[in-house]
Amino acid sequence: MGPGFVGGKMQQGGHAVSFLLGAALPTALLFLLAFDRLGEGLSTISTSWRGNGTMTAAQQVAAARPPAAANTPTAADDRPAPAQDHEVEFLGLAELLRKVATEDRTVIMTSVNEVWTRPNSLLDIFLGGFRDGEGIAHLVNHVLIVTVDAGSFRGCKAVHPHCYLLEVSSMDMNRAKTFGTREYVEMIWLKLSIQQRVLELGYNFLFTDADILWLRNPFQHISVYADMSCSLDNSKMAPALLDCENNVGFYYMKSTNRSVAMIKYWRAARARFDGNPIEQVVFNTIKHELISDLGARIQPLETEYISGFCDFQERLDKVFTVHANCCMGLDNKVNDLRNVAADWKNYTSLTPEVRKKGSIKVTPPSKCRKSMGWT
């Protein structure tokens, strides 16, 4: 197996069995799941391994070892980590993570602005996905919502118990509400600073944009062998999955020294780019460097399962999440995601026999397509 990429079908072992029991035993959740499709080996995970593509016992221990600073949590865990561009404080984060995380120290993270927290906007759709999804209602207890101003924090607390206000003293976060402004781009990059801190504290995370509708448990498609599992815009745009454009609106990272180094490298690489690039542009440019320089193992998540409007999937029997990507305008995102949610409710109300016939009509994201100038 060559360097670069993890994926394919993993064996369904103890991780998968434990997680499938999660609805009945939420305290026994195990978030590091084996990839659930059988028989294809490890042919699709990016890796620096050689030979037969397996890890020795020593390699497994080294890969799974959390950062040294996270091995002995103390009261100092709440002290601010060094920030690259802005004065960021993480007061109270360690305490909140202990409340939200699963027994294996995994959290689901998203971030919102004030507009998204308003009634009937994206946060309502996002949380509704857990309620109406297939066996995932218990996962909402492990969702940490990051907010960037007082308005979004209040809106979050009105509908969810686990909200965190990311305080940035060196920037006016009110200006970050406007798409395309420098402050908006800075806000996007700030999510990496808190994610780095989460990893340093010894917690794994799955970051999901709030404009993603969860239908099923996506951890079933995340490999235990990868340092990072990341969604794609379209998994058919290149012969090799690792060469497809990654979408960093949905990705999982486990807490290891290497994953912390990956985020540090990612943040530092921003200085090499002209203008004010978003984090996704930088990641797609440097991901092969992460593999070659750091030995990172990156798993691209196929859009057949972790889907979105860029490569819309109509097979509700196969899709796990739906991202309102390739879409301009909040109203368009809300409209088309609500259509998917309604189609999902219709689908889940049917008998298994009717579902198997495969004649379920799915509403295409027409408004989002129109916003992109697509016919």
Side-chain angles (χ1 to χ4, degrees):
M1 176 174 57
F5 126 74
V6 179
K9 298 180 181 177
M10 301 288 184
Q11 60 182 5
Q12 287 181 314
H15 287 306
V17 173
S18 298
F19 206 91
L20 290 174
L21 291 174
L25 300 173
T27 57
L29 295 176
L30 293 175
F31 272 45
L32 292 177
L33 299 175
F35 201 66
D36 70 339
R37 292 174 291 160
L38 304 175
E40 291 182 8
L42 304 178
S43 63
T44 57
I45 290 187
S46 80
T47 124
S48 53
W49 313 333
R50 296 292 188 273
N52 62 5
T54 59
M55 289 190 291
T56 65
Q59 286 173 318
Q60 292 182 39
V61 171
R65 184 180 297 121
N71 289 338
T72 54
T74 67
D77 284 344
D78 280 343
R79 291 179 300 181
Q84 290 186 334
D85 300 316
H86 294 282
E87 298 173 17
V88 183
E89 296 185 354
F90 301 104
L91 297 177
L93 179 60
E95 179 183 358
L96 185 55
L97 288 171
R98 285 191 288 270
K99 295 178 181 178
V100 179
T102 63
E103 286 190 347
D104 81 321
R105 299 173 71 85
T106 299
V107 295
I108 301 168
M109 299 178 66
T110 192
S111 58
V112 295
N113 58 32
E114 187 271 333
V115 176
W116 288 17
T117 66
R118 293 174 184 174
N120 301 313
S121 192
L122 288 177
L123 184 56
D124 279 351
I125 297 175
F126 176 74
L127 295 176
F130 292 93
R131 181 186 63 246
D132 300 327
E134 193 172 85
I136 58 174
H138 61 285
L139 296 183
V140 76
N141 299 321
H142 305 290
V143 173
L144 174 63
I145 301 176
V146 178
T147 64
V148 295
D149 56 38
S152 58
F153 183 73
R154 285 193 302 269
C156 176
K157 292 296 287 184
V159 295
H160 188 68
H162 306 310
C163 305
Y164 183 76
L165 177 59
L166 181 62
E167 299 186 72
V168 185
S169 58
S170 58
M171 189 173 76
D172 180 6
M173 298 304 291
N174 288 322
R175 287 179 53 83
K177 298 176 183 178
T178 304
F179 179 82
T181 64
R182 180 172 183 83
E183 289 79 9
Y184 179 89
V185 176
E186 294 297 329
M187 181 181 67
I188 292 175
W189 278 98
L190 281 172
K191 78 176 183 182
L192 293 183
S193 66
I194 190 170
Q195 289 169 0
Q196 178 180 323
R197 188 59 174 155
V198 168
L199 294 174
E200 289 170 344
L201 290 171
Y203 292 90
N204 320 303
F205 70 81
L206 192 162
F207 177 80
T208 169
D209 276 347
D211 61 347
I212 295 179
L213 181 66
W214 286 42
L215 306 178
R216 296 183 175 89
N217 187 346
F219 286 98
Q220 296 180 43
H221 285 273
I222 291 174
S223 168
V224 296
Y225 295 94
D227 298 302
M228 180 182 191
S229 301
C230 187
S231 66
L232 302 169
D233 278 338
N234 190 324
S235 56
K236 298 185 288 290
M237 294 302 291
L241 281 180
L242 196 62
D243 293 327
C244 296
E245 288 291 310
N246 285 97
N247 189 304
V248 296
F250 187 94
Y251 60 98
Y252 170 87
M253 298 188 79
K254 62 184 176 183
S255 178
T256 65
N257 291 321
R258 182 161 50 228
S259 63
V260 172
M262 288 170 67
I263 286 196
K264 288 182 177 179
Y265 192 107
W266 186 1
R267 295 177 66 194
R270 179 186 182 187
R272 292 156 42 185
F273 291 74
D274 293 331
N276 199 25
I278 61 173
E279 87 289 24
Q280 182 165 301
V281 170
V282 175
F283 178 81
N284 277 295
T285 304
I286 69 163
K287 61 184 176 183
H288 289 283
E289 297 174 28
L290 296 174
I291 295 165
S292 61
D293 295 356
L294 302 180
R297 299 185 289 263
I298 301 175
Q299 176 198 13
L301 297 169
E302 296 180 65
T303 50
E304 184 178 10
Y305 306 100
I306 309 302
S307 74
F309 293 167
C310 292
D311 183 26
F312 188 63
Q313 304 293 313
E314 297 184 349
R315 291 287 302 274
L316 290 179
D317 59 323
K318 302 183 73 172
V319 171
F320 281 65
T321 61
V322 182
H323 191 178
N325 51 11
C326 291
C327 186
M328 299 295 291
L330 176 60
D331 290 343
N332 295 325
K333 285 177 180 280
V334 168
N335 179 84
D336 288 353
L337 273 182
R338 285 202 177 281
N339 286 338
V340 175
D343 291 340
W344 173 254
K345 283 187 176 181
N346 291 335
Y347 172 79
T348 55
S349 69
L350 301 174
T351 64
E353 292 74 20
V354 175
R355 292 189 198 182
K356 288 180 181 179
K357 293 180 180 179
S359 58
I360 310 303
K361 182 179 179 180
V362 180
T363 307
S366 57
K367 288 198 172 183
C368 284
R369 288 176 174 174
K370 185 175 180 181
S371 75
M372 301 294 293
W374 298 353
T375 57

